[in-house]
Amino acid sequence: MDRSKKYRTTPQLRRLTLGDNMTTLEVRDLEAGYDEVDVLNDVNMAVEDDRITGIIGPNGTGKSTLLKSIIGIADVNDGEIIYQGEPLGETDPSDLIYQGITYMPPGDRVFPEMSVYDNLRMGGYVINDGFNEALE
C-alpha cells in the first residue's frame, strides 16, 4: 500500500452552510510553519457568519499550525488572512483578542485546576457585552 496517498498533507475543512452568508474569516493561499519548516502549503478556507466550521485531520497535518497562523504565533511565509473584510497582516496577537480572535491550546495546556466554564471566561476576559450569556 502506498502510504503517501493515505494521508493528506494539509488539514481539510468541513463546513455546514445553509444559504448565503457573509464571510467572517478567509484564508487565501496560506504558506506557514515554524522557522525553516514549512507545515502549510497553499491552504484556502472561508468561515461564514452563523455557521459551524471544523478543521479535521490526522495528527501532524497542520490543524494547530493553521489556527496559530491566524492568531499570529506561527510564521506566515505567504498568503493572506482576512477577518471581517480587513487583512490581519502584522496585527499583534494581543490586539486580536479585542477583535474576538484567540487560540485555546488542546489538552491540559490551559488552567487544569479550573472548570471548562472558567477557562472559557479567562479566554474572553476582554469581552463585556453578552459574554456570560453566550456561555450559558
Side-chain angles (χ1 to χ4, degrees), residues 44-57:
N44 293 280
M45 65 173 262
V47 177
E48 297 174 351
D49 283 348
D50 300 322
R51 297 294 173 236
I52 297 170
T53 303
I55 303 166
I56 61 172

Side-chain angles (χ1 to χ4, degrees), residues 59-75:
N59 291 343
T61 57
K63 300 176 299 292
S64 294
T65 302
L66 174 59
L67 296 175
K68 290 176 183 178
S69 298
I70 292 168
I71 65 161
I73 61 174
D75 298 329

Side-chain angles (χ1 to χ4, degrees), residues 101-114:
I101 302 173
T102 190
Y103 174 75
M104 181 175 272
D108 60 357
R109 290 180 252 166
V110 287
F111 301 101
E113 69 282 352
M114 294 171 56

